[in-house]
Amino acid sequence: MADKTEAATGGAGAVKQPRSVRVVLLALMIAMMLAMLDNMIIGTAMPTIVGELGGLEHLSWVVTAYTLATAASTPLWGKLGDMYGRKGVFMTSIVIFLAGSALSGMAQDMGQLIGFRAIQGLGAGGLMVGVMAIIGDLIPPRERGKYQGMIAGVMALSMIGGPLVGGTITDNWGWRWSFYINIPLGVIALIAISAVLHLPKKRSKARIDYPGAALLTVGITAIVLVTTWGGTEYAWTSARIMELIGIGVAALVGFVFWQTRAAEPILPLHIFRSRNFTLMSVIGFIVGFVMFGATLFLPLYQQSVQGASATNSGLLLLPMLGAMLVTSMVAGRVTTSTGRYKIFPVAGGALMTVGLFLLSTMDTDTTRFTSGLYMAVVGLGMGCLMQITMLVAQNSVEMKDMGVASSSTTLFRTLGSSFGVAIMGALFNSRVQDAMAERAPEGAKATEQSATLTADALNALPEAIRDAYQHAVSSGTHGAFLLGSAVAVLALVAAFFVKEVPLKGAGPKPADAPADGDPTDGDGDDDPATAKAPVTEAV
């Protein structure tokens, strides 16, 4: 006999999920962990990989190929799930990811590894979207905050444990097991989802919007390449970067034009009529911008200025990631308990802004305890925003657009991370070079590859050059985090404009709140998704 869980549409009590649904959620967390862990593990294994396969000049493409494929495929996975059913599409993405993992582990040269990483990235795009969309199908919004808080916890744990797991696997089993380790975990997730997850089957007669998919892929690829290559492989004003910018803009303008005419658009533009959905897209972009910039430059500061080893610098991120994990869980449970959520984007934007400003004040004399406190403030802010953005975005669209909403929110966060790393990186490098030229011009060549200076290499430098370099890195992180703080202000401003549309099961509406479907409120936040609570079935 199948268990049926029907979301409450007016009561204030939480609906207890049957055990089968909890099994599915466990499988979804495993899938999310696969997508998040992969890049973190591979980063630790890369020196060993290059030592065996060679191809140092193509090293960045091992990560870029994965990121490009993930970003470009994300919207398509979401739309396919909406059209043909979530379960089959999600399982397909897991199979593709596992195939890419197995092939990457068997790569014989750097070219093969880059190609197989792209296959992995294609699957990873479906993993992240599928997890969020299936939770959106299974769990009513009133309950969803708690489970999305758990997903945010998995993400934080992956960021903490990834480098440690990667180093342990590489040292004891060899770098190929950094890829092979995905296979048993993925198979467990596949079996659980196949046996327990039952969602309504869909069969759409509409054809996939191939022109739209092509235009969006070209546009996203050009953007990611600009942010990846700009200031590193090519100067920002070089012809290649200008060509990519032109191609990206033309493709995205063409994509928007085509979406107004496509029978079944990849990214229906009507979802952006919802004020809340648009605001969550903006906030998600900023969260990606800040989070990945912080996780890139904090370890560099800790290693170069505070003398931490590579392993210890990862552990020193615990105050930020731990605070993010705890706050995500608390935010999810409070949202489930009260049905209210606006306070979290507002508090998250404020804490993130203040925390990044505090990080920008760090210098060569800042202690690890002080920097840990500053990181904890940033983590508290990100924890308030991580999954609330997804929850509010999903609550702002109809059920038929759940996959598109999930994929769009994920895409904006991914693009934000690309822009954050690129722009904060460009500012950081510029400040480091200027400071070195001012303090120790004779040591500029010795430190021009700043990201490759380990603690041992730094100690081997002459004292004057080492001191100048530490001040230069401190100056670079000051500029990068100050920029991050300014960008975070935009998230705070956007949060104030969020309209708190009651979640399903959140009890009676406030007296001054317009009724669902009230055309007089005029902001596009009417929530058909919450008016008809889905019945989810699990064996």
Side-chain angles (χ1 to χ4, degrees):
M1 179 67 68
D3 293 313
K4 291 189 178 182
T5 303
E6 184 169 357
T9 56
V15 180
K16 184 178 180 181
Q17 302 301 329
R19 179 178 299 177
S20 50
V21 174
R22 294 197 292 271
V23 171
V24 170
L25 290 168
L26 177 61
L28 295 178
M29 290 180 189
I30 292 174
M32 177 60 77
M33 184 176 66
L34 289 175
M36 288 298 300
L37 266 179
D38 200 71
N39 264 342
M40 306 301 294
I41 290 177
I42 300 310
T44 310
M46 281 312 300
T48 305
I49 294 174
V50 171
E52 180 174 329
L53 299 183
L56 178 62
E57 67 276 13
H58 305 302
L59 176 63
S60 63
W61 273 102
V62 176
V63 176
T64 301
Y66 182 92
T67 305
L68 273 176
T70 300
S73 65
T74 293
L76 186 58
W77 283 116
K79 187 61 180 179
L80 287 173
D82 286 340
M83 292 175 64
Y84 299 111
R86 211 79 66 200
K87 178 178 177 179
V89 170
F90 183 57
M91 292 179 68
T92 300
S93 71
I94 294 178
V95 171
I96 293 174
F97 181 84
L98 295 182
S101 298
L103 290 170
S104 296
M106 295 185 287
Q108 299 302 307
D109 57 50
M110 192 61 77
Q112 290 183 10
L113 181 59
I114 291 170
F116 297 149
R117 284 282 285 166
I119 296 174
Q120 236 191 336
L122 286 175
L127 290 182
M128 291 187 283
V129 173
V131 168
M132 296 303 179
I134 290 173
I135 289 178
D137 279 349
L138 282 177
I139 311 295
R142 177 65 177 266
E143 287 284 289
R144 202 178 297 159
K146 177 171 63 177
Y147 293 103
Q148 289 187 340
M150 293 179 183
I151 294 295
V154 170
M155 295 171 68
L157 286 174
S158 299
M159 296 175 71
I160 295 170
L164 299 177
V165 172
T168 301
I169 290 175
T170 302
D171 290 341
N172 293 282
W173 298 348
W175 66 267
R176 296 182 186 275
W177 277 96
S178 297
F179 297 104
Y180 293 150
I181 195 66
N182 294 329
I183 297 174
L185 294 173
V187 169
I188 292 172
L190 272 177
I191 293 173
I193 290 168
S194 175
V196 182
L197 178 63
H198 294 269
L199 294 172
K201 293 184 179 180
K202 303 177 184 179
R203 181 65 63 181
S204 176
K205 295 182 179 179
R207 298 184 62 185
I208 298 174
D209 179 18
Y210 290 110
L215 287 168
L216 185 59
T217 299
V218 171
I220 291 173
T221 300
I223 289 174
V224 174
L225 287 178
V226 167
T227 57
T228 302
W229 285 347
T232 54
E233 298 286 331
Y234 303 94
W236 284 104
T237 56
S238 67
R240 178 61 56 85
I241 296 299
M242 292 297 105
E243 289 170 1
L244 286 172
I245 292 174
I247 292 171
V249 171
L252 292 178
V253 170
F255 170 76
V256 172
F257 176 79
W258 177 255
Q259 294 304 280
T260 62
R261 287 156 174 75
E264 196 66 42
I266 291 290
L267 186 60
L269 300 183
H270 67 80
I271 63 177
F272 290 98
R273 294 173 188 164
S274 165
R275 181 173 73 192
N276 275 6
F277 182 85
T278 302
L279 290 172
M280 289 304 109
S281 298
V282 172
I283 293 174
F285 180 93
I286 294 170
V287 169
F289 188 105
V290 168
M291 183 172 68
F292 287 91
T295 53
L296 174 65
F297 295 109
L298 278 172
L300 182 56
Y301 170 84
Q302 290 163 336
Q303 292 179 51
S304 300
V305 179
Q306 295 182 328
S309 66
T311 301
N312 286 340
S313 67
L315 292 175
L316 289 172
L317 291 177
L318 277 172
M320 182 178 74
L321 299 176
M324 184 173 74
L325 186 156
V326 172
T327 312
S328 296
M329 302 287 283
V330 171
R333 291 191 175 276
V334 171
T335 301
T336 295
S337 175
T338 65
R340 298 291 185 175
Y341 53 80
K342 181 172 180 176
I343 183 62
F344 294 110
V346 173
L351 286 167
M352 201 163 62
T353 301
V354 172
L356 286 164
F357 177 77
L358 291 173
L359 288 177
S360 75
T361 65
M362 295 189 305
D363 56 27
T364 55
D365 297 322
T366 302
T367 65
R368 292 183 182 180
F369 177 78
T370 301
S371 61
L373 289 178
Y374 296 167
M375 284 187 279
V377 176
V378 176
L380 291 173
M382 290 194 295
C384 289
L385 294 169
M386 282 291 291
Q387 296 308 316
I388 292 296
T389 53
M390 181 66 72
L391 171 63
V392 178
Q394 291 179 338
N395 194 52
S396 304
V397 301
E398 298 181 35
M399 287 297 296
K400 68 182 180 67
D401 292 323
M402 187 65 68
V404 167
S406 302
S407 64
S408 299
T409 306
T410 303
L411 174 63
F412 280 110
R413 186 179 297 171
T414 302
L415 293 178
S417 68
S418 296
F419 275 85
V421 169
I423 297 174
M424 292 174 75
L427 180 60
F428 173 85
N429 289 331
S430 175
R431 294 288 293 263
V432 168
Q433 291 173 6
D434 290 346
M436 285 300 298
E438 179 181 344
R439 285 178 172 268
E442 72 280 2
K445 289 186 178 181
T447 59
E448 60 184 3
Q449 299 295 330
S450 59
T452 65
L453 279 181
T454 63
D456 290 339
L458 187 63
N459 290 331
L461 293 174
E463 183 176 352
I465 295 178
R466 181 171 67 250
D467 181 70
Y469 178 64
Q470 289 176 332
H471 279 87
V473 170
S474 178
S475 174
T477 53
H478 168 77
F481 289 129
L482 196 59
L483 172 64
S485 180
V487 172
V489 171
L490 299 178
L492 177 59
V493 173
F496 278 109
F497 289 94
V498 171
K499 179 188 174 188
E500 194 162 46
V501 179
L503 305 176
K504 290 196 294 276
K509 293 185 178 184
D512 59 347
D516 286 335
D518 183 354
T520 62
D521 83 354
D523 63 2
D525 281 338
D526 302 328
D527 191 14
T530 63
K532 295 181 180 179
V535 176
T536 59
E537 181 175 317
V539 177

